Amino acid sequence: MRGALDLLLVVLLALNLRPILTSIGPLLEPMRQSTGLGYQQAALLTALPVLCMGLVPLLQPWLRRWLSEHAGMLAGLSAIALACLWRLQLGTAGALIASAVLAGLGVAVVQGMMPGLVNRWFPGRLAAAMGLYSAALMSGGGLAALLGPSISAYFGRWQVGLGLWAVPAVLALCAWLVLRPRKEATVLGGAARGHWFGNRRAWLLALYFGLINGGYTSMVAWLPAYHLEHGGTAQGGGELVGLMTVFQVAGALGLPLLLRRLTDRRPGLWLALLVQLGGFSGLLLAPGSAMGLWVAMIGLGLGACFSLSLTLTIEHLRTPAEAGSLAAFVQGVGFIVTGIVPYITGWLRDVSGDFQASWALLTCTVLAMLVVTACFAPNGYRQAIERKGQGVTPAAVN
């Protein structure tokens, strides 16, 4: 019974970590008409929250001194709910960007704790539990993209399509208060002592996580706009993001389950990256012929990559505290990288006049990550994570 409640809580928390991003793209055109946002400014609505998701976990060694896991979760969920409620009333570009920062800070706190929490609650079923967490996270994003345009059209205001997502945040907050296990980590995210800034493997994992998932933020930010440029509608753009999410969920759950007996994560990551490569190549070379197929392939690859790359990170260390600390660092640096990617792809769209240069950049990134994946042989985890970088190693590593 306790395990089922923990799984339910993980799902409820994860559902709130992407609507603040995915609700933007399908409503971008009415938002731009109402507020005067340009494409580069609009990119900030995705880039700034993702940068927050990076910066906050990097501060965990200091935040843990005064913020417990329970207090951090309450603060994070409250920030998400308040930002969404604020979006019901806002009407200026500045307020919209400020609400994105507030929501991003809330997501950053909750998301930074989740890998360590999952590792502590499900030590014997880590890959499956991480897959479920990833699938729920992506499902929340897909629902926001799919339902946002319809909800906005029904109420006649785009703000409602952004603000409605306060409801699941409040539900998750109530569920945390009622269902959470009373035994928790004594510090934010269960962070171990020390930091990872001088560890080479930690940096490699972080950059890998950021680049391997960089296509997600770009697709969320620009896929609806790309669809509109090819004669589509806002609702159609939301449906494409929803289609991508369905296959993300399938990738996050299916591939880790299929390869659960393998201790080596590289075959799964190679397969997921090759599927992504096919999808981005399709958008680049034949965008009008089978856009749904290309989007589905990208979603399948992205979903599997997110889940497997987090599992890869956690498996480098034995204890939940150490693994949670490393995961916080990896997500911290990784999400900063991931947040920069849609800003660059938006800039490329502005200077080139279309999205082909953006898709070319993402295709090259996937090719590079196919090569880097070879570095992650499981028999080298411990040696790599204990190797000194610039003379600094995490104090918690034994």
mmCIF file of all heavy atoms in Angstrom, residues 141-171:
data_model
loop_
_atom_site.group_PDB
_atom_site.id
_atom_site.type_symbol
_atom_site.label_atom_id
_atom_site.label_comp_id
_atom_site.label_asym_id
_atom_site.label_seq_id
_atom_site.Cartn_x
_atom_site.Cartn_y
_atom_site.Cartn_z
ATOM 1 N N GLY A 141 2.947 17.795 -19.698
ATOM 2 C CA GLY A 141 3.252 18.744 -20.765
ATOM 3 C C GLY A 141 2.368 18.555 -21.982
ATOM 4 O O GLY A 141 1.892 19.530 -22.579
ATOM 5 N N GLY A 142 2.122 17.314 -22.357
ATOM 6 C CA GLY A 142 1.277 17.050 -23.518
ATOM 7 C C GLY A 142 -0.156 17.488 -23.309
ATOM 8 O O GLY A 142 -0.789 18.045 -24.219
ATOM 9 N N LEU A 143 -0.690 17.250 -22.113
ATOM 10 C CA LEU A 143 -2.065 17.678 -21.826
ATOM 11 C C LEU A 143 -2.207 19.191 -21.926
ATOM 12 O O LEU A 143 -3.196 19.703 -22.453
ATOM 13 C CB LEU A 143 -2.476 17.199 -20.430
ATOM 14 C CG LEU A 143 -2.802 15.719 -20.291
ATOM 15 C CD1 LEU A 143 -2.999 15.361 -18.824
ATOM 16 C CD2 LEU A 143 -4.054 15.363 -21.089
ATOM 17 N N ALA A 144 -1.200 19.913 -21.411
ATOM 18 C CA ALA A 144 -1.261 21.377 -21.465
ATOM 19 C C ALA A 144 -1.242 21.881 -22.900
ATOM 20 O O ALA A 144 -1.972 22.815 -23.259
ATOM 21 C CB ALA A 144 -0.094 21.969 -20.674
ATOM 22 N N ALA A 145 -0.407 21.269 -23.744
ATOM 23 C CA ALA A 145 -0.343 21.687 -25.149
ATOM 24 C C ALA A 145 -1.612 21.339 -25.900
ATOM 25 O O ALA A 145 -2.097 22.116 -26.736
ATOM 26 C CB ALA A 145 0.863 21.024 -25.813
ATOM 27 N N LEU A 146 -2.177 20.177 -25.589
ATOM 28 C CA LEU A 146 -3.352 19.699 -26.320
ATOM 29 C C LEU A 146 -4.618 20.444 -25.919
ATOM 30 O O LEU A 146 -5.450 20.810 -26.762
ATOM 31 C CB LEU A 146 -3.523 18.205 -26.066
ATOM 32 C CG LEU A 146 -4.556 17.466 -26.912
ATOM 33 C CD1 LEU A 146 -4.197 17.546 -28.382
ATOM 34 C CD2 LEU A 146 -4.654 16.009 -26.469
ATOM 35 N N LEU A 147 -4.786 20.685 -24.608
ATOM 36 C CA LEU A 147 -6.029 21.282 -24.109
ATOM 37 C C LEU A 147 -6.007 22.800 -24.083
ATOM 38 O O LEU A 147 -7.061 23.428 -24.092
ATOM 39 C CB LEU A 147 -6.311 20.761 -22.691
ATOM 40 C CG LEU A 147 -6.512 19.247 -22.547
ATOM 41 C CD1 LEU A 147 -6.761 18.884 -21.090
ATOM 42 C CD2 LEU A 147 -7.667 18.771 -23.422
ATOM 43 N N GLY A 148 -4.819 23.399 -24.042
ATOM 44 C CA GLY A 148 -4.723 24.850 -23.912
ATOM 45 C C GLY A 148 -5.489 25.635 -24.960
ATOM 46 O O GLY A 148 -6.285 26.534 -24.615
ATOM 47 N N PRO A 149 -5.306 25.355 -26.270
ATOM 48 C CA PRO A 149 -6.046 26.120 -27.278
ATOM 49 C C PRO A 149 -7.561 25.967 -27.159
ATOM 50 O O PRO A 149 -8.305 26.948 -27.321
ATOM 51 C CB PRO A 149 -5.536 25.531 -28.596
ATOM 52 C CG PRO A 149 -4.197 24.980 -28.277
ATOM 53 C CD PRO A 149 -4.304 24.450 -26.885
ATOM 54 N N SER A 150 -8.051 24.760 -26.871
ATOM 55 C CA SER A 150 -9.504 24.552 -26.743
ATOM 56 C C SER A 150 -10.064 25.311 -25.545
ATOM 57 O O SER A 150 -11.135 25.935 -25.625
ATOM 58 C CB SER A 150 -9.808 23.059 -26.596
ATOM 59 O OG SER A 150 -9.381 22.344 -27.726
ATOM 60 N N ILE A 151 -9.350 25.251 -24.430
ATOM 61 C CA ILE A 151 -9.791 25.963 -23.222
ATOM 62 C C ILE A 151 -9.798 27.466 -23.465
ATOM 63 O O ILE A 151 -10.745 28.172 -23.101
ATOM 64 C CB ILE A 151 -8.883 25.606 -22.036
ATOM 65 C CG1 ILE A 151 -9.074 24.129 -21.657
ATOM 66 C CG2 ILE A 151 -9.156 26.506 -20.834
ATOM 67 C CD1 ILE A 151 -8.047 23.613 -20.690
ATOM 68 N N SER A 152 -8.755 27.978 -24.105
ATOM 69 C CA SER A 152 -8.688 29.414 -24.402
ATOM 70 C C SER A 152 -9.806 29.841 -25.346
ATOM 71 O O SER A 152 -10.415 30.902 -25.172
ATOM 72 C CB SER A 152 -7.325 29.747 -25.019
ATOM 73 O OG SER A 152 -6.296 29.500 -24.105
ATOM 74 N N ALA A 153 -10.082 29.019 -26.351
ATOM 75 C CA ALA A 153 -11.155 29.341 -27.289
ATOM 76 C C ALA A 153 -12.516 29.336 -26.594
ATOM 77 O O ALA A 153 -13.375 30.191 -26.873
ATOM 78 C CB ALA A 153 -11.150 28.343 -28.444
ATOM 79 N N TYR A 154 -12.723 28.395 -25.676
ATOM 80 C CA TYR A 154 -13.999 28.310 -24.971
ATOM 81 C C TYR A 154 -14.244 29.555 -24.127
ATOM 82 O O TYR A 154 -15.362 30.100 -24.097
ATOM 83 C CB TYR A 154 -14.017 27.058 -24.092
ATOM 84 C CG TYR A 154 -15.294 26.882 -23.307
ATOM 85 C CD1 TYR A 154 -16.431 26.343 -23.915
ATOM 86 C CD2 TYR A 154 -15.374 27.266 -21.972
ATOM 87 C CE1 TYR A 154 -17.613 26.190 -23.204
ATOM 88 C CE2 TYR A 154 -16.555 27.119 -21.244
ATOM 89 C CZ TYR A 154 -17.664 26.577 -21.866
ATOM 90 O OH TYR A 154 -18.836 26.436 -21.154
ATOM 91 N N PHE A 155 -13.210 30.017 -23.427
ATOM 92 C CA PHE A 155 -13.366 31.182 -22.555
ATOM 93 C C PHE A 155 -13.096 32.501 -23.282
ATOM 94 O O PHE A 155 -13.345 33.573 -22.724
ATOM 95 C CB PHE A 155 -12.427 31.076 -21.351
ATOM 96 C CG PHE A 155 -12.860 30.056 -20.332
ATOM 97 C CD1 PHE A 155 -12.334 28.775 -20.339
ATOM 98 C CD2 PHE A 155 -13.816 30.376 -19.366
ATOM 99 C CE1 PHE A 155 -12.732 27.826 -19.406
ATOM 100 C CE2 PHE A 155 -14.229 29.439 -18.437
ATOM 101 C CZ PHE A 155 -13.684 28.157 -18.457
ATOM 102 N N GLY A 156 -12.561 32.424 -24.498
ATOM 103 C CA GLY A 156 -12.306 33.639 -25.263
ATOM 104 C C GLY A 156 -11.095 34.427 -24.798
ATOM 105 O O GLY A 156 -10.931 35.588 -25.178
ATOM 106 N N ARG A 157 -10.216 33.820 -24.003
ATOM 107 C CA ARG A 157 -9.029 34.505 -23.484
ATOM 108 C C ARG A 157 -7.865 33.514 -23.459
ATOM 109 O O ARG A 157 -7.978 32.436 -22.872
ATOM 110 C CB ARG A 157 -9.261 35.036 -22.058
ATOM 111 C CG ARG A 157 -10.353 36.080 -21.966
ATOM 112 C CD ARG A 157 -10.599 36.504 -20.519
ATOM 113 N NE ARG A 157 -9.473 37.249 -19.964
ATOM 114 C CZ ARG A 157 -8.754 36.860 -18.918
ATOM 115 N NH1 ARG A 157 -8.997 35.698 -18.334
ATOM 116 N NH2 ARG A 157 -7.769 37.608 -18.467
ATOM 117 N N TRP A 158 -6.739 33.895 -24.072
ATOM 118 C CA TRP A 158 -5.585 33.008 -24.072
ATOM 119 C C TRP A 158 -5.021 32.822 -22.670
ATOM 120 O O TRP A 158 -4.376 31.807 -22.378
ATOM 121 C CB TRP A 158 -4.513 33.511 -25.036
ATOM 122 C CG TRP A 158 -4.022 34.921 -24.791
ATOM 123 C CD1 TRP A 158 -4.446 36.048 -25.414
ATOM 124 C CD2 TRP A 158 -2.993 35.326 -23.875
ATOM 125 N NE1 TRP A 158 -3.765 37.155 -24.960
ATOM 126 C CE2 TRP A 158 -2.856 36.738 -24.012
ATOM 127 C CE3 TRP A 158 -2.182 34.668 -22.971
ATOM 128 C CZ2 TRP A 158 -1.944 37.479 -23.262
ATOM 129 C CZ3 TRP A 158 -1.269 35.400 -22.216
ATOM 130 C CH2 TRP A 158 -1.157 36.784 -22.360
ATOM 131 N N GLN A 159 -5.258 33.808 -21.788
ATOM 132 C CA GLN A 159 -4.734 33.706 -20.427
ATOM 133 C C GLN A 159 -5.261 32.478 -19.682
ATOM 134 O O GLN A 159 -4.545 31.898 -18.852
ATOM 135 C CB GLN A 159 -5.094 34.970 -19.622
ATOM 136 C CG GLN A 159 -4.355 36.223 -20.039
ATOM 137 C CD GLN A 159 -5.075 37.006 -21.113
ATOM 138 O OE1 GLN A 159 -5.922 36.459 -21.831
ATOM 139 N NE2 GLN A 159 -4.766 38.289 -21.233
ATOM 140 N N VAL A 160 -6.488 32.060 -19.995
ATOM 141 C CA VAL A 160 -7.066 30.909 -19.291
ATOM 142 C C VAL A 160 -6.312 29.629 -19.660
ATOM 143 O O VAL A 160 -6.115 28.741 -18.819
ATOM 144 C CB VAL A 160 -8.563 30.769 -19.613
ATOM 145 C CG1 VAL A 160 -9.169 29.569 -18.875
ATOM 146 C CG2 VAL A 160 -9.303 32.043 -19.236
ATOM 147 N N GLY A 161 -5.864 29.535 -20.914
ATOM 148 C CA GLY A 161 -5.105 28.369 -21.333
ATOM 149 C C GLY A 161 -3.776 28.239 -20.628
ATOM 150 O O GLY A 161 -3.209 27.146 -20.540
ATOM 151 N N LEU A 162 -3.262 29.359 -20.102
ATOM 152 C CA LEU A 162 -2.021 29.332 -19.329
ATOM 153 C C LEU A 162 -2.280 29.179 -17.832
ATOM 154 O O LEU A 162 -1.497 28.540 -17.127
ATOM 155 C CB LEU A 162 -1.233 30.630 -19.558
ATOM 156 C CG LEU A 162 -0.849 30.988 -20.988
ATOM 157 C CD1 LEU A 162 -0.036 32.274 -21.001
ATOM 158 C CD2 LEU A 162 -0.063 29.868 -21.650
ATOM 159 N N GLY A 163 -3.357 29.776 -17.346
ATOM 160 C CA GLY A 163 -3.577 29.851 -15.906
ATOM 161 C C GLY A 163 -4.281 28.664 -15.289
ATOM 162 O O GLY A 163 -4.181 28.436 -14.068
ATOM 163 N N LEU A 164 -4.983 27.883 -16.119
ATOM 164 C CA LEU A 164 -5.736 26.749 -15.589
ATOM 165 C C LEU A 164 -4.857 25.736 -14.864
ATOM 166 O O LEU A 164 -5.331 25.006 -13.985
ATOM 167 C CB LEU A 164 -6.464 26.057 -16.745
ATOM 168 C CG LEU A 164 -7.307 24.830 -16.377
ATOM 169 C CD1 LEU A 164 -8.540 25.263 -15.601
ATOM 170 C CD2 LEU A 164 -7.709 24.052 -17.624
ATOM 171 N N TRP A 165 -3.575 25.732 -15.183
ATOM 172 C CA TRP A 165 -2.682 24.704 -14.637
ATOM 173 C C TRP A 165 -2.304 24.960 -13.187
ATOM 174 O O TRP A 165 -1.494 24.214 -12.609
ATOM 175 C CB TRP A 165 -1.461 24.569 -15.548
ATOM 176 C CG TRP A 165 -1.942 24.381 -16.952
ATOM 177 C CD1 TRP A 165 -1.900 25.284 -17.966
ATOM 178 C CD2 TRP A 165 -2.656 23.252 -17.469
ATOM 179 N NE1 TRP A 165 -2.517 24.801 -19.090
ATOM 180 C CE2 TRP A 165 -2.990 23.550 -18.814
ATOM 181 C CE3 TRP A 165 -3.034 22.023 -16.930
ATOM 182 C CZ2 TRP A 165 -3.685 22.658 -19.617
ATOM 183 C CZ3 TRP A 165 -3.725 21.133 -17.735
ATOM 184 C CH2 TRP A 165 -4.033 21.452 -19.058
ATOM 185 N N ALA A 166 -2.913 25.978 -12.591
ATOM 186 C CA ALA A 166 -2.824 26.137 -11.129
ATOM 187 C C ALA A 166 -3.571 25.016 -10.416
ATOM 188 O O ALA A 166 -3.215 24.642 -9.289
ATOM 189 C CB ALA A 166 -3.388 27.486 -10.709
ATOM 190 N N VAL A 167 -4.597 24.461 -11.062
ATOM 191 C CA VAL A 167 -5.427 23.426 -10.420
ATOM 192 C C VAL A 167 -4.625 22.168 -10.083
ATOM 193 O O VAL A 167 -4.622 21.724 -8.926
ATOM 194 C CB VAL A 167 -6.653 23.089 -11.296
ATOM 195 C CG1 VAL A 167 -7.432 21.930 -10.692
ATOM 196 C CG2 VAL A 167 -7.537 24.317 -11.455
ATOM 197 N N PRO A 168 -3.900 21.556 -11.047
ATOM 198 C CA PRO A 168 -3.115 20.377 -10.665
ATOM 199 C C PRO A 168 -1.997 20.692 -9.677
ATOM 200 O O PRO A 168 -1.603 19.823 -8.889
ATOM 201 C CB PRO A 168 -2.550 19.863 -12.003
ATOM 202 C CG PRO A 168 -2.704 20.993 -12.956
ATOM 203 C CD PRO A 168 -3.876 21.788 -12.508
ATOM 204 N N ALA A 169 -1.489 21.934 -9.690
ATOM 205 C CA ALA A 169 -0.453 22.302 -8.722
ATOM 206 C C ALA A 169 -1.017 22.305 -7.305
ATOM 207 O O ALA A 169 -0.378 21.822 -6.361
ATOM 208 C CB ALA A 169 0.131 23.672 -9.064
ATOM 209 N N VAL A 170 -2.227 22.833 -7.152
ATOM 210 C CA VAL A 170 -2.867 22.835 -5.838
ATOM 211 C C VAL A 170 -3.189 21.405 -5.396
ATOM 212 O O VAL A 170 -3.005 21.033 -4.228
ATOM 213 C CB VAL A 170 -4.139 23.702 -5.857
ATOM 214 C CG1 VAL A 170 -4.918 23.558 -4.552
ATOM 215 C CG2 VAL A 170 -3.771 25.163 -6.091
ATOM 216 N N LEU A 171 -3.659 20.571 -6.326
ATOM 217 C CA LEU A 171 -3.936 19.175 -6.001
ATOM 218 C C LEU A 171 -2.673 18.444 -5.544
ATOM 219 O O LEU A 171 -2.691 17.668 -4.574
ATOM 220 C CB LEU A 171 -4.539 18.461 -7.211
ATOM 221 C CG LEU A 171 -5.968 18.851 -7.597
ATOM 222 C CD1 LEU A 171 -6.371 18.146 -8.885
ATOM 223 C CD2 LEU A 171 -6.940 18.501 -6.479
#
